[in-house]
Structures are given as C-alpha cells and as structure tokens.
C-alpha cells in the first residue's frame, strides 16, 4: 500500500495537470453547480503552473480561437443588453468553462490519454445513471405504497443543500423546477442530466466495442446499462428518442465491424428506454399527468418557438445582434410580449439568436462546422480509430440534436460539455494523421476516405499528413 501511494505521488509530480484534468472531468457532473467550477479553476491553475515550469505555452487551437471570438462578442453584448448583470455573468461563465477545452487540447496529446478521458467521462456518467435509477425506482415504490417517503432517494441529489445555498445568496436566483417523479441524478433538472448522459452514451459504446478482456467488457457493458437507465429515469421524451436514434445511426455505420456487440448493447437500451417513453405518454405508469402533460409540453414548445421567431423577425436589432447574452432577456420577452412564463427558448439555435443575433449564431456554427471538419480530416484507417472518431462525432451530434428541443447551454454543467467535446476533437486531430480540408475538393477526398474506411475498401489516394 505504501509503495502504491509513493508510486502515485511520483506519477502525480510528473504530470499534475493531467491528474487534475481527469479529476475535473469526473467530478464536474457529480458536484453541485456552485462547487464544480472551482474544481476546474484550481485544475487550470495547476496546469498553467506546470506549463510555465516546463517552459511551454498553452495553445487554444483553431476551434478555440473561433470560440474566443464568439465569447468575446457575447461579452460585448453587455453594452446593449437590458439585463447587464446576467449578460456579463453568463459570458464570463462561458470564458470559465472554456478552460477545460484548453486543458484537454494541451494535456491529451496521446491516444492513451484520450482514452483515459473517455473512460473518466463514462465512469461519471455511469455513477449519475446509477443515482438516477435509484431515484426513479424508490419514487415508484413510494408512489405505490411499498416504502415510506423518507426512504425515497432525494431528487435532485443536492436538493437540501441547494435550498440552503440559494436562500443564503444575497441576490435572487431563478432555481430550476424540481420534479420528484423524474430523476435528476447529481444534476438539478432531468433535462440537464439527459444532456450529459446522451453525450456519454456513444462513448460508452466505443469503450465497450474496443476494450480488451472479458472483465473490462462486462464493466463497460454495465456502464452502458446504467447510462441508458439514467436516460430512461429522466422521463425526457426527446432524450429517449434521440438515444435510440443514436444507436440506430451507429448500428448502420458500424454493422460490418460490430453488429453482434451493438445488438448486445441494444437489448438493455430498449428494455429500459422504451418503458420510459410509454410512461411519459401515460400508456403504462402515469407520471405527472401522463400523456396529457406530454402533449401540453409539446404544444408549449411550439408556442415558444413561434413567439421568438416572430419577435426576431419583427425587431432588426434582435435579428442582427440579439438582446444580450444570457437567457434572462428571452424570458422577459416571452413573459411581457407573449404572456408565456418560460425561462428560455427551449432550442439552442433560437435562444442563441435571441441573445447574440444572427452574427453570434454564424460564429458559433462556424466553430461547430470546424469541429466536425476536424473529425472528418482524421484518417481513421483501422477499426478502433474509426469507432473512436465516429462515436465522438455521434456524441456531438446527439448533444446538438437534444439542443433542438431544449436549451443545452443553461448551466455550467451543460456548457462545459460543449468545450469537452471541442477539446477532444482538437486533441484527436493533433494525435492522428489527417487529410487537410482546405477547399471543396479536399472535403470530397476526406469524405471518400471515411466512407472507404467504414466499408473496409482500400483508399483511392494517399493521405496527406499534416506538417509538424
């Protein structure tokens, strides 16, 4: 035991930033919203001191620079915002969460380190899934009089502490509505938890497909079951549908290599997620109004989207530069102009447009397109590399798809997910050979190579390696 501790201390001294990075990625989705950011800030300070000691300069990469332009514009929007404090605070929160992208890009420069980050994300996701399953199961037992209310697993996990902290703060904070009947895990809201679990779901499949040894296969299989169970426990309709659609998408692309393993994963996914959808629509167990509530929720979403699109098209300032970063201004418009008491646009594109206008939306989408392009550039010429690139691509895709039905930048725990994915994309791009995309022809070549890699055909032309 003593030798193991000494060995760990030696490894930590050689790379303290790397260990703090893993700790941050694991703990951020588990700790409360008002604690997690401080773990990131401490980790970044450790990383920066290590880089200074080693005579290195922290790099942000192309995607990082584009995101800095976006966040800079968001910060400038404080000037014309009617909710200046909220705008400034939200913009600064994005700058804070951006630090994780910088850490990943600089510290995860080997394939082994990338796999460690992915495994850490899945471990944290599985733990969240386990808590969510305990929350929904205990609530169901209580509802049908099998246990006492005091025996129900608290939903959300930090509810008593949240109440204490939010009461103590010197300013009012619009706390998220708590649902006892829908699991939230360590998050404050079922939809926030669903956002995270959807992101790690494809990554858990990648680890299951590529791990060696029966023991590790079982571990990652169980992790995937817990993540699927957590998605189901949130009773989030869009999350459940997108998770199943994500599996179908991966099965179509990876069928030739991994059809047996993907079918093994599909059985628990269907068994735990489909009942959640049936419950949400009141077909089996009824949760908070069952099908009627689900229908009302869908109708409310369309009403919100229609109202905000109407406002954007009728106000040139909102159309071009938005009302100011942060969703507080959107909530005020919905309440004062359309008599809708809703906190945000329930769609990340429309909400971003309301906040920073078409200019901000374009900058953000340039960053996202560059990110997908970086993944497409990678020469995924073997099975493991291809599944890695494809599963990270799918993770980003599911994250953004969920954002079309709910706002995915609503809290530090959601915002950091974007920067983790962007950091991973840049780190992977730095680790692997690639076909540089600089025009339409090179884009076509990269796409052809990826299709050939997926179908195990020989590449028709040599990969051009990135110059160091």
């Amino acid at each position: 035991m003593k030798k193991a501790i000494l060995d760990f201390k030696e490894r930590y001294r050689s790379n303290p930033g790397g260990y703090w990075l893993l700790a941050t990625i694991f703990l951020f989705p588990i700790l409360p919203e008002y604690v997690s950011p401080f773990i990131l800030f401490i980790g970044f300070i450790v990383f920066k001191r290590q880089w200074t000691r080693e005579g290195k300069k922290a790099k942000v990469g192309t995607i990082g620079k584009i995101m800095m332009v976006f966040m800079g514009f968001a910060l400038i929007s404080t000037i014309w915002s009617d909710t200046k404090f909220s705008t400034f605070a939200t913009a600064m929160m994005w700058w804070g969460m951006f630090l994780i992208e910088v850490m990943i890009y600089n510290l995860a420069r080997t394939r082994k380190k990338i796999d460690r980050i992915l495994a850490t994300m899945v471990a944290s996701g599985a733990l969240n899934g386990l808590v969510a399953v305990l929350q929904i199961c205990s609530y169901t037992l209580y509802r049908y009089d099998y246990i006492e209310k005091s025996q129900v697993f608290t939903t959300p996990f930090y509810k008593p502490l949240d109440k204490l902290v939010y009461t103590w703060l010197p300013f009012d904070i619009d706390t998220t509505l708590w649902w006892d009947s829908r699991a939230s895990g360590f998050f404050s809201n079922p939809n926030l938890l669903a956002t995270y679990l959807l992101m790690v779901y494809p990554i858990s499949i990648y680890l299951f497909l590529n791990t060696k040894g029966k023991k590790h296969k079982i571990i990652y299989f169980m992790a995937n079951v817990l993540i699927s169970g957590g998605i189901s426990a949130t009773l989030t309709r869009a999350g459940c549908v997108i998770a199943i659609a994500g599996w179908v998408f991966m099965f179509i692309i990876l069928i030739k290599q991994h059809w047996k393993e993907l079918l093994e994963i599909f059985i628990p996914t269907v068994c735990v997620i489909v009942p959640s959808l049936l419950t949400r629509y009141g077909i089996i167990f009824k949760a908070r109004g069952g099908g009627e509530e689900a229908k009302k929720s869908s109708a409310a979403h369309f009403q919100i989207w229609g109202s905000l699109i109407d406002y954007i098209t009728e106000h040139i300032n909102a159309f071009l530069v938005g009302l100011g970063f942060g969703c507080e201004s959107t909530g005020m418009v919905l309440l004062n102009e359309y008599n809708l008491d809703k906190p945000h646009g329930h769609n990340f594109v429309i909400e971003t447009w309301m906040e920073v206008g078409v200019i901000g939306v374009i900058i953000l989408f340039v960053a996202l397109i560059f990110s997908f392009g970086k993944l497409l550039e990678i020469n995924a010429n073997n099975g493991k590399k291809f599944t890695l690139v494809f599963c990270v691509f799918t993770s980003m895709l599911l994250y953004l798809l969920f954002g079309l039905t709910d706002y995915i930048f609503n809290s530090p725990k959601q915002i950091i997910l974007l920067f983790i994915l962007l950091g991973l994309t840049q780190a992977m791009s730095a680790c692997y050979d690639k076909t540089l995309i600089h025009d339409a022809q090179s884009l076509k070549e990269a796409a052809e190579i990826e299709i050939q890699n997926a179908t195990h055909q020989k590449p028709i032309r040599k990969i051009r390696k990135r110059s160091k």
Side-chain angles (χ1 to χ4, degrees), residues 281-295:
Y281 282 100
I283 298 174
I284 49 177
F285 301 105
K286 291 186 178 181
R288 296 190 68 211
E292 288 303 317
E293 189 213 6
K295 292 176 183 176

Side-chain angles (χ1 to χ4, degrees), residues 290-346:
E292 288 303 317
E293 189 213 6
K295 292 176 183 176
K296 289 179 181 178
S297 176
S298 297
H301 278 57
F302 284 110
Q303 191 176 6
I304 292 168
W305 299 338
S307 299
L308 293 181
I309 291 172
D310 174 73
Y311 188 87
I312 290 170
T313 54
E314 291 294 327
H315 296 78
I316 187 64
N317 289 342
F319 181 89
L320 291 175
V321 297
L323 302 178
F325 206 48
C327 57
E328 185 177 348
S329 56
T330 303
M332 291 172 59
V333 167
L334 288 171
L335 182 61
N336 298 330
E337 301 287 334
Y338 301 96
N339 199 30
L340 294 172
D341 189 10
K342 300 295 180 181
H344 51 69
H346 287 274

Side-chain angles (χ1 to χ4, degrees), residues 43 114 150 154 183 261 317 322 325 351 429 468:
I114 289 173
S150 60
T154 306
E261 295 97 327
N317 289 342
F325 206 48
E351 177 62 40
S429 179
K468 299 292 183 181

